[in-house]
Amino acid sequence: MEYLSNMQKAIDEILKHKNDNIIVYTHIDTDGLNSRVVLEETLSRQGIFPEYRFLRQIDYGTIGDIPFGDYDLVIFADLGSGQIDMIDTQIKSMNIKPPKIVIFDHHICQFTKMPEYITNVNPSQDGLNGSIELCGAGVCYLFARELDDNNKDLSKYALLGAIGDVQNLNGKLEGLNRKIILKDALELNLVSSSPDLQFYGKHTRPLFTSIKYFTDVRTDLTDNDSRIINFINHVNKKYDSEITNTNYIYQLTESQKRAVGSEFFKKCVRYVPKEWISYLPKVIFGESYELLNHESGTSFRSLEEYSTCINACSRYNEYEVPLEILKGNMSYESKMLKMLRKHKRNLAKSMDTIKNNVEVVQKDKFQYFEVSNNEIQGNIVGIIAGMSYSIEKVDWKKPIFAISELDEGYKISARCPKLLSFAEDINLAKAINYASEKVGGTGGGHKFACGAYIPDKKDFVKYLVEKV
């Protein structure tokens, strides 16, 4: 069954060029790396061995480096749908016969007219929401599944890509992520799915720490050790429980999780606008997804924490380590965990910078801060923007934009708490795309998390004011 339009056309195109020169470009985040693993395994099973490269983004600075004239078929995964006009313009400027191009993506499609040589497979073309119903690795998995039913063992990679892209935004996976991919993975006993709290770090953080850094709602527990201890003691007394400050969430019983969640919900109600209360359950309760071939209490059991490990490598241009781990080569585990520790140190240092040395400028409907390249690295500024909601001077009821200076131009990252995105139906992707185009840049992404690259920051904030 063809779940996405153009999928059969993409399959035919790839098989037609089986013995020709093929190059595959994938994005560099968790979704992109899992797209790479799915495609590499799928194509190798068909006796197809393309060249593979990673690409942080397609923009005016990178489009000229893509050797369209050297290949018969170019495949893009987890990127490309938003740059179809740019690709077409570049190929026309090269005065070459266009190669065939296949795009497996889930980001917003942007094109004036679809060129005949491009096959774009994207859930948005079928009325699906690419932010929560299917990710890039998910599109690649549906390609693999359509090509050969024996490829269902690759479903775990699609799920990891989905969680990495926060497609469980509403507390659980939805759409084709759930109906097809999760179903396949559960049937093969690759993953487990269970009701759980929506705190981060179920296997790698004590409950105490998970509550401390919960940023979707700011309460009196946020970054307050003594109040968290009192809260846990209150839960124990009320529910006759024995939860300790050092218990990890995965160690709690179902009744203990319900008790913590119920009391935390009551706490949050006191801090949110009345009209937001109905959305609270989605940020506190939901489902967790775990890989059954990894031990509990490790960084690789929870898909969410596994994704953090991958990003801790790929954000620093280290791709071999996560690729090998994803393929099952656990001899790279110590190197990945070493990079994860380094990543966490960088985050902690950057958070101190925001807290102590950076002004957060408040506008009516959003806020922003600016940092130089030597203050916070551009590869983590988006994470820092999201984490900054634990800082008192940041208004957790407004979106935040980070403007980070690069060697050439600026990187923009936009974030907002999940509760805010539910209650106010904010679409940061449209705002950042509009403002970046106005100043000669490119941008896009998802409603609650997105980014852009711009050559000049002048007037950028002014255009944000028009759209947010």
Side-chain angles (χ1 to χ4, degrees), residues 2 5 39 57 77 96 107 151 192 194 280 289 306 365 389:
E2 189 178 45
S5 57
L39 289 178
Q57 66 200 22
I96 60 170
H107 296 94
N151 288 329
S192 66
S194 60
L280 268 176
Y289 308 98
Y306 196 164
K365 295 184 179 180
Y389 283 106

Side-chain angles (χ1 to χ4, degrees), residues 4-5 76 78 81 87 121 146 183 247 272 350 370 441 464:
L4 300 176
S5 57
F76 293 104
D78 194 34
S81 289
I87 292 170
V121 185
E146 189 78 14
K183 181 174 179 288
N247 278 145
V272 304
S350 298
E370 300 183 35
L464 279 182

Side-chain angles (χ1 to χ4, degrees), residues 91-135:
I91 289 176
K92 286 178 178 177
S93 73
M94 296 172 70
N95 293 316
I96 60 170
K97 178 184 176 182
K100 294 296 183 180
I101 294 177
V102 171
I103 298 173
F104 296 121
D105 198 7
H106 68 118
H107 296 94
I108 297 172
C109 298
Q110 294 180 346
F111 56 89
T112 305
K113 181 181 179 182
M114 182 65 69
E116 290 185 6
Y117 61 89
I118 295 180
T119 301
N120 184 44
V121 185
N122 190 303
S124 66
Q125 297 180 147
D126 298 276
L128 303 177
N129 186 340
S131 292
I132 58 173
E133 294 187 81
L134 197 65
C135 67

